Amino acid sequence: MQLRITPTIEDHRVAKLAALAIGIHVLESILPSPIPGVKPGLANIVTLIVFLLYGLNSAVWVSLLRVLVGSLIIGTFLSPTFVLSLSGAIASIGVLLIISKLERLEISAIGIATLMALVHVMSQFIVVYVFFIPHNAVFSILPIMMTAALIFGFFNGILAQKITERIRL
Amino acid sequence: MIETTRTDKLILFGSVLFVLFLYYFFWVGSSEAKQVEIFVNGEKRYVYNLAENNTVHVDGKIGESLIEISDNKVRFSHSPCSSQFCVRSGWHEHSGGFSACLPNGVSLHLTGAEKIYDAINF
């Protein structure tokens, strides 16, 4: 007996968008940063745009595929980097899940992106504290990282809004 | 044009407040050290309360280090070493803070109410 899997249009779409997110994820990993750990988080823009255009389900797929395949390409699979990447992605998905339940809430890409970025970094610090470095000194750098998250989240939100507008036209 | 809804503005305002609160909470308010442990050649030799101003003379490998405790802060005020890194590292006041004079084998560990690990390595 032969097992046949027929990919739907949605499967194709998820695959293409995940590939785009993975590309950005890998490119971003080679960008130098003045402060270790500070990244613009451009790959998360893809997750957000997918959420706005195609809904939560596709966004979850794109986000988790990006973390998995991205780590395989960079070579960080199952390393602490991967764990942090995954926890950030899961936390961001959590934000999207809550927002998708609150349909009456009028919130644009800018608000969602800011929330996602903050929750992303916050979750990573909790994971670092619980699993890797259980010392209060870890949190000394939290304010700086959260400031970066706030700024990048805001600008990513603007980018996501612009891109979504153009795609919808 | 950038479009923001009222909820967006609320989120942005709340986020800025939250980040400012983090600065206050982690940089200003918390993690004040309660006491300083002075180690000589890796052995804990003295423990001092940071609330009491004091000047401690510690005999190390190459001479006498002077450690000054003042205003809940502690520093190396004099050291016999040539690099003077310990003196230049200045005042320390946060729990988990650390300063050392390697040539003289003297180090300061600041501790708060509870002491936990430095790090776990895999």
Side-chain angles (χ1 to χ4, degrees), chain A residues 6-60:
Chain A
T6 324
T8 62
I9 296 170
E10 206 198 340
D11 292 337
H12 281 286
R13 195 169 60 206
V14 164
K16 284 175 195 159
L17 291 164
L20 176 65
I22 292 159
I24 296 173
H25 180 89
V26 173
L27 275 179
E28 205 176 43
S29 72
I30 56 172
L31 274 181
S33 167
I35 306 168
V38 171
K39 289 208 304 185
L42 294 171
N44 290 318
I45 297 179
V46 181
T47 310
L48 178 54
I49 292 170
V50 171
F51 172 74
L52 293 172
L53 292 177
Y54 307 114
L56 181 68
N57 227 344
S58 300
V60 172

Side-chain angles (χ1 to χ4, degrees), chain A residues 106 108 135 140 147 161-162, chain B residues 3 5 7-8 23 27 117:
Chain A
E106 283 188 10
S108 80
H135 190 280
S140 299
T147 308
Q161 195 175 69
K162 295 282 150 206
Chain B
E3 288 167 30
T5 64
T7 320
D8 285 336
Y23 276 102
W27 283 17
Y117 340 87

Side-chain angles (χ1 to χ4, degrees), chain A residues 63-140:
Chain A
S63 174
L64 293 181
L65 279 173
R66 166 180 72 79
V67 171
L68 176 68
V69 181
S71 75
L72 288 173
I73 292 174
I74 301 167
T76 54
F77 182 56
L78 294 184
S79 75
T81 315
F82 168 76
V83 175
L84 293 183
S85 192
L86 184 64
S87 61
I90 291 172
S92 300
I93 290 170
V95 171
L96 294 181
L97 179 72
I98 292 168
I99 287 169
S100 66
K101 296 280 177 213
L102 302 169
E103 280 172 2
R104 282 193 303 163
L105 209 65
E106 283 188 10
I107 175 168
S108 80
I110 295 173
I112 304 176
T114 310
L115 271 183
M116 276 170 82
L118 290 177
V119 170
H120 191 108
V121 172
M122 201 72 209
S123 76
Q124 290 179 326
F125 266 86
I126 293 167
V127 168
V128 165
Y129 183 77
V130 172
F131 292 110
F132 301 122
I133 312 172
H135 190 280
N136 290 339
V138 167
F139 293 108
S140 299

